[in-house]
Amino acid sequence: MKEQEYPFIPFERESFSEDEMLKRSKSFFEWADTRRSVRDFSDRPVSKEVMENLLMTGSTAPSGAHKQPWTFCLISNNELKSRLRALAEEEEKKSYGGRMSDEWIEDLAPLGTDWEKEFIDIAPWIVVVMKRPYELNSDGTKRQNYYVSESVGLASGFLLMAIHNAGLVALTHTPSPMNFIAKALERPENERPFLLIPVGHPSANAQVPDLSRKSKSDVIEYYD
Ligand code: IYR
């Protein structure tokens, strides 16, 4: 290794035989493939400690210059949830009522979505993922973050997998436009809403659309 100005530490990892690797990669894929976006939530509680573990897993994601340009707003307050729901529905009514193109509405038809966002009231937790394009120094100056959407997308992906691993369900909801969320949560000027994610248990009779995922040949291009 090159001489480093900053400290480095030895890298530790688990290592597996080819056979173990094959088994582990296959079973992890099969498990990941059982994750579904769920819209029918139960109000069954989930502890704050569980939620903190999930969010800290999200926060292990790689990020541009290791800036970790995210904040997870962890909401359980019922009054605030209802307010967010009302505001989201106000926007969604406009979106479904004409702001989205016919093609978009047609593409969403198999998902069974509409402007109603009951899950924001029902799910025990709402996570609002905020992205931070820059940091605010104490003297009021700004310090840039990098690849912010990529970084926050990765953190959100890690979070979704952690939620799945805990046997819980989530929905990556994107009310659009989302500016109302930053306002309702009184977030600082360097934060922008990225995703609103209800987290909890599914309702007893939850259903999901009968969708299939793209195959290997659809998503992989080989350059051997
Ligand atoms: N934001 C709307 C519409 C919507 C858009 C996409 I792309 C989806 O995959 C699902 C919904 C909503 O949340 O209903």
Side-chain angles (χ1 to χ4, degrees):
M1 270 208 70
K2 281 187 294 186
E3 270 295 298
Q4 288 287 342
E5 190 180 340
Y6 292 92
F8 270 61
I9 53 173
F11 173 61
E12 319 263 4
R13 63 152 186 165
E14 277 185 285
S15 166
F16 304 105
S17 68
E18 281 297 319
D19 186 47
E20 277 174 309
M21 204 187 296
L22 192 60
K23 278 197 204 125
R24 288 176 66 95
S25 60
K26 184 163 189 285
S27 65
F28 190 79
F29 160 59
E30 285 168 355
W31 167 80
D33 200 28
T34 64
R35 187 200 56 78
R36 295 298 310 262
S37 293
V38 170
R39 288 180 170 76
D40 298 333
F41 282 81
S42 145
D43 61 3
R44 186 176 152 192
V46 172
S47 78
K48 187 182 275 185
E49 196 177 351
V50 165
M51 291 305 297
E52 288 169 345
N53 289 334
L54 304 180
L55 297 176
M56 292 314 289
T57 303
S59 203
T60 65
S63 61
H66 188 52
K67 295 285 188 173
Q68 298 184 264
W70 46 71
T71 302
F72 301 112
C73 298
L74 182 56
I75 302 162
S76 60
N77 180 284
N78 284 329
E79 195 265 329
L80 181 54
K81 285 198 292 177
S82 294
R83 203 143 29 96
L84 287 175
R85 174 185 175 181
L87 293 166
E89 288 183 338
E90 211 177 290
E91 291 298 347
E92 293 294 278
K93 253 186 208 161
K94 289 184 213 155
S95 294
Y96 283 88
R99 216 158 41 183
M100 293 191 286
S101 66
D102 291 346
E103 184 178 88
W104 194 349
I105 296 281
E106 189 186 308
D107 281 340
L108 287 181
L111 305 187
T113 63
D114 59 26
W115 63 268
E116 260 197 295
K117 303 300 170 192
E118 202 181 18
F119 53 76
I120 301 179
D121 264 332
I122 297 177
W125 294 101
I126 302 297
V127 174
V128 175
V129 182
M130 307 292 299
K131 65 177 182 181
R132 301 163 68 111
Y134 55 89
E135 298 299 321
L136 281 172
N137 298 320
S138 46
D139 64 359
T141 57
K142 297 174 182 178
R143 184 139 188 140
Q144 201 54 46
N145 288 328
Y146 309 95
Y147 299 101
V148 171
S149 295
E150 291 83 345
S151 301
V152 182
L154 286 162
S156 302
F158 279 38
L159 169 61
L160 291 181
M161 278 312 200
I163 292 167
H164 183 43
N165 178 60
L168 298 170
V169 296
L171 177 70
T172 42
H173 177 42
T174 51
S176 173
M178 283 209 268
N179 325 358
F180 71 85
I181 298 178
K183 226 166 146 188
L185 300 181
E186 298 178 353
R187 299 310 304 160
E189 61 151 85
N190 66 326
E191 291 190 0
R192 315 267 179 277
F194 186 73
L195 287 172
L196 185 157
I197 308 180
V199 181
H201 292 273
S203 72
N205 48 7
Q207 292 199 324
V208 291
D210 186 10
L211 306 175
S212 57
R213 292 192 162 101
K214 285 182 173 180
S215 68
K216 244 195 293 202
S217 61
D218 290 325
V219 300
I220 307 178
E221 288 286 346
Y222 298 87
Y223 295 82
D224 290 336

